[in-house]
Amino acid sequence: IGVDPGSVPRAAVLPATGNPPPSSGVRGVLARAFEIAREDQARAVEPSHLLRSLRELEPPDPAATLLHALAQ
């Protein structure tokens, strides 16, 4: 059709599980993981991309606070 969505991450279609929707923090970490994977020219987002995205967080984000505490 002439449209290249290559740089746009695809939205995941999840079944209704009764779980609350992901928080803005979770969405931000996932978006950054996609960016890191793209920078690495990876074909898929891997756990290492997600971990690198989490490591970039700064307190007072709860995940950042926990990761910084665990690193010491």
Side-chain angles (χ1 to χ4, degrees):
I1 299 179
V3 177
D4 180 18
S7 64
V8 178
R10 298 180 73 190
V13 178
L14 302 175
T17 61
N19 295 327
S23 69
S24 61
V26 171
R27 290 190 307 270
V29 166
L30 290 174
R32 179 64 184 134
F34 274 93
E35 291 173 10
I36 292 170
R38 193 175 312 121
E39 291 166 5
D40 288 350
Q41 298 180 347
R43 296 180 74 171
V45 177
E46 299 176 2
S48 62
H49 301 126
L50 183 59
L51 290 172
R52 285 170 51 195
S53 177
L54 285 168
R55 285 182 44 208
E56 291 178 1
L57 295 175
E58 294 293 330
D61 185 283
T65 303
L66 175 63
L67 290 173
H68 286 274
L70 291 173
Q72 297 181 13

